[in-house]
């Protein structure tokens, strides 16, 4: 079967679904198909993350992350409330545990304020009042943080899309791409979709999809696993709200945090270790082809040169339980090894430049027939409704609907 559509979205994670929704909300006459290779929505990053709706604290003012996180987070909270998706405003604290972290904590406070986040400085006594089990010499309290369930957000988006007339396909990997005039022909096992615009939201596979579609992405995806542990039920009162360490400013990761989830469980993590497969949720998941490809890639050498110390430390903490527990205890000294047990992981689709630099900001590339989302790490789930609208505006420009594109951008800016 062959069908002509306006837009085909490859990837049914939170970004692909939010993009399809934004297109159809702005123009319900458009035909939009979403292809997802798994049997359910949000099967990878969107269903394996910390479920934190971030405030916009960390991001370089003026970056896409900063522009889309603060307002995107508020939009996500309102969306969850409207759709009956679990959500709770919890706030969080970012805690310095050593003197040498204080300048970085102060920089973070300034960044947060520049991004419109409400930041309150806490001293040792105030930390102890809020979180008696946490060891900190200074902290920032952030009011805007919230918790949700991004898997449930994906299901709500898919439900809404059905009502909006989208064609939704699960178990439908996009297998090949070919140009045909001004269209891209996307083949699945069962059908051929001829689209005026291809939107690539394939997450861990987004660079593969971009190349298969005939484009030349400037970055490659390297999978970084984030492993979690869970606090045993008897110690779930160890923190009352999310507690974060001061992050390393040279890395796009936030550091291992302690997070009370909405179901009452308390998660610790995620760390960041290299994964040996794009969907490498365990050390034993190894994709030899990916490894051979990376071994030939000069970016890997650049990456190793830049981040070897951090990488080795994270791997040691992952593999040696005693070292992991020691690290967690820097933040929460009352937690012991017996209080924690391993509890799954997620794999980040992290873009890396040719010289091995980990890309910090979102990367959304536009080419003649496609829009490729090539870096959408945290807080992309938080900002997904706004990123979806941003991509929808790009789609309308592709379709020659410049007024509509401007209207979508203006609406997003005002939201
Ligand atoms: C450990 C971890 C913790 C995180 N914590 C947070 C957090 O607390 N807050 C936050 O805002 N963000 C967080 N993030 C980031 C967030 O999860 C991602 O930014 C977001 O989920 C990205 O969504 P996506 O739709 O781009 O990717 P994904 O959810 O990975 O979706 C991509 C989809 O494309 C599909 N696909 C791939 N190739 C094909 C193909 N050829 N054909 C069809 N389908 C295909 C995949 O099966 C997948 O479902 C975290 C991420 C991780 C890994």
């Amino acid at each position: 079967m062959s069908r002509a559509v306006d837009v085909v979205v490859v990837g049914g994670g939170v970004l692909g679904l939010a993009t399809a929704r934004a297109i159809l909300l702005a123009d319900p006459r458009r035909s939009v198909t979403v292809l997802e290779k798994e049997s359910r929505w949000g099967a990878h990053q969107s269903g394996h993350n910390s479920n934190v709706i971030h405030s916009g604290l960390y991001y370089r003012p003026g970056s896409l992350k900063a522009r889309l996180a603060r307002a995107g987070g508020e939009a996500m909270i309102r969306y969850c409330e409207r759709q009956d998706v679990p959500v709770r405003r919890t706030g969080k604290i970012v805690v310095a545990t050593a003197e040498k972290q204080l300048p970085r904590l102060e920089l973070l406070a300034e960044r947060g304020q520049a991004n419109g986040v409400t930041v309150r400085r806490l001293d040792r006594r105030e930390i102890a009042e809020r979180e008696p089990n946490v060891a900190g010499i200074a902290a920032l309290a952030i009011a805007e943080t919230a918790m949700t369930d991004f898997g449930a957000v994906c299901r709500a988006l898919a439900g809404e899309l059905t009502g909006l007339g989208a064609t939704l396909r699960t178990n439908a990997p996009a297998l090949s791409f070919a140009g045909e005039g001004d269209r891209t022909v996307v083949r699945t096992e069962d059908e051929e979709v001829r689209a005026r615009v291809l939107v690539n939201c394939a997450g861990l596979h987004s660079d593969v999809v971009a190349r298969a579609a005939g484009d030349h992405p400037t970055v490659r995806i390297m999978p970084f696993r984030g492993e979690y542990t869970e606090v045993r039920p008897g110690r779930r009162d160890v923190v009352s709200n999310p507690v974060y360490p001061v992050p390393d400013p040279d890395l796009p990761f936030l550091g291992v945090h302690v997070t009370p989830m909405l179901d009452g469980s308390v998660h610790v993590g995620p760390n960041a270790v290299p994964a040996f497969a794009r969907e490498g949720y365990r050390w034993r998941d190894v994709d030899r082809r990916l490894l051979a490809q990376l071994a030939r890639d000069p970016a890997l050498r650049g990456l190793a040169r830049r981040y070897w110390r951090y990488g080795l430390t994270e791997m040691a903490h992952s593999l040696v339980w005693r070292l992991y527990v020691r690290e967690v205890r820097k933040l929460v000294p009352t937690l012991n090894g017996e209080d924690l047990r391993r509890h799954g992981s997620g794999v980040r689709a992290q873009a890396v430049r040719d010289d091995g630099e980990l890309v910090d900001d979102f990367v959304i590339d536009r080419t003649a027939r496609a829009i490729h989302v090539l870096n959408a790490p945290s807080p992309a789930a938080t900002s997904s409704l706004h990123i979806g609208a941003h991509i929808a505006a790009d789609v309308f420009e592709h379709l020659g609907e410049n007024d509509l594109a401007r209207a979508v951008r203006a609406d997003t800016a005002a939201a």
Side-chain angles (χ1 to χ4, degrees), residues 10-17 35-38 40-54 150 172-175 177 201-206 209 224-228 244 257 270-271 279 345-349 362 373 376-383:
V10 175
V14 71
L15 281 192
L17 296 166
L35 302 175
E36 167 52 51
K37 69 182 170 66
E38 305 293 347
R40 61 195 164 91
W41 306 108
H44 290 291
Q45 296 177 92
S46 302
H48 290 90
N49 59 45
S50 302
N51 288 318
V52 178
I53 300 181
H54 287 293
F150 285 115
L175 299 173
F177 302 81
C201 290
L204 288 151
H205 299 264
S206 55
V209 167
F224 279 87
R225 187 171 53 250
E227 299 163 326
Y228 292 92
Y244 280 66
H257 39 271
N271 60 1
E279 285 150 19
S345 64
V347 185
R348 303 172 180 88
F362 299 144
V373 178
S378 183
T382 296
S383 321

Side-chain angles (χ1 to χ4, degrees), residues 59-372:
Y59 318 114
R60 189 171 45 76
S63 63
L64 255 187
K65 276 189 179 178
R67 275 164 47 205
L68 296 171
R70 182 72 208 92
E74 283 303 315
M76 179 57 73
I77 292 173
R78 288 196 300 274
Y79 183 78
C80 293
E81 286 167 350
R82 276 200 313 274
Q83 296 287 328
D84 270 341
V85 169
V87 66
R88 192 167 69 225
R89 288 182 192 266
T90 56
K92 77 170 187 183
I93 59 173
V94 182
V95 179
T97 53
E99 290 280 334
K100 64 174 190 244
Q101 296 172 349
L102 294 178
R104 277 193 268 145
L105 191 72
E106 194 44 39
L107 273 179
L108 208 56
E110 286 164 17
R111 247 185 198 192
Q113 278 155 350
N115 291 337
V117 177
T118 323
V119 179
R120 206 163 74 76
R121 290 167 180 80
L122 304 182
D123 61 22
R124 205 189 283 263
R125 186 183 51 80
E126 290 166 309
I127 299 171
E129 271 166 21
R130 285 174 77 121
E131 299 287 357
N133 290 303
V134 171
I137 56 173
L140 305 179
I142 312 301
E144 288 92 344
T145 306
M147 296 298 300
T148 187
D149 172 353
F150 285 115
V153 170
C154 288
R155 293 189 289 281
L157 287 167
E160 218 189 340
L161 279 169
T162 307
L164 287 166
T167 303
L168 299 181
R169 302 263 194 263
T170 48
N171 296 310
L175 299 173
S176 71
F177 302 81
E180 184 189 89
D182 62 352
R183 288 184 181 258
T184 300
V185 183
V186 183
R187 289 196 179 79
T188 69
E189 262 173 33
D190 306 321
E191 63 176 350
E192 194 177 86
V193 185
R194 287 178 292 113
R196 291 174 67 190
V197 187
L198 160 69
V199 179
N200 166 9
C201 290
L204 288 151
H205 299 264
S206 55
D207 56 343
V208 178
V209 167
R211 279 195 297 275
D215 290 320
H216 304 282
T218 49
V219 294
R220 81 278 294 127
I221 296 294
M222 289 205 189
F224 279 87
R225 187 171 53 250
E227 299 163 326
Y228 292 92
T229 52
E230 191 185 358
V231 175
R232 76 175 162 83
R235 300 268 355 244
R236 281 180 176 170
D237 58 356
V238 68
V239 295
S240 46
N241 287 309
V243 176
Y244 280 66
V246 179
D248 181 334
D250 294 331
L251 294 165
F253 310 124
L254 301 184
V256 167
H257 39 271
V258 186
T259 317
M261 311 305 278
L262 290 181
D263 66 1
S265 61
V266 177
H267 293 183
V268 183
N271 60 1
V273 292
F276 299 143
R278 285 182 193 263
E279 285 150 19
Y281 290 98
R282 300 160 305 179
W283 280 112
R284 62 174 180 275
D285 297 329
V286 178
D287 175 351
R288 287 179 203 289
R289 257 194 27 211
L290 174 72
L291 292 190
Q293 195 185 317
L294 289 179
R296 287 193 303 273
D297 189 337
L300 185 67
R301 284 188 286 283
L303 185 77
R305 238 188 342 267
R306 282 168 186 269
Y307 304 106
W308 65 271
R309 196 188 298 274
Y310 172 79
L312 287 180
T313 311
E314 284 291 279
M315 283 165 77
H317 288 167
S318 165
L319 294 166
V320 184
W321 182 247
R322 182 172 47 83
L323 297 180
Y324 173 77
V325 174
R326 196 172 71 188
E327 201 52 30
V328 174
R329 282 169 58 93
K330 283 185 188 160
L331 205 56
V332 190
T334 65
L335 276 178
N336 294 312
E338 305 81 67
D339 294 328
L340 299 167
R341 64 178 180 91
R342 294 195 188 273
H343 187 75
S345 64
V347 185
R348 303 172 180 88
Q350 174 62 50
V352 178
R353 290 193 205 289
D354 289 346
D355 61 1
E357 190 193 343
L358 297 171
V359 182
D360 187 36
D361 207 359
F362 299 144
V363 177
I364 302 171
D365 275 8
R366 284 173 62 162
T367 64
R369 279 192 296 253
I371 296 159
H372 301 291

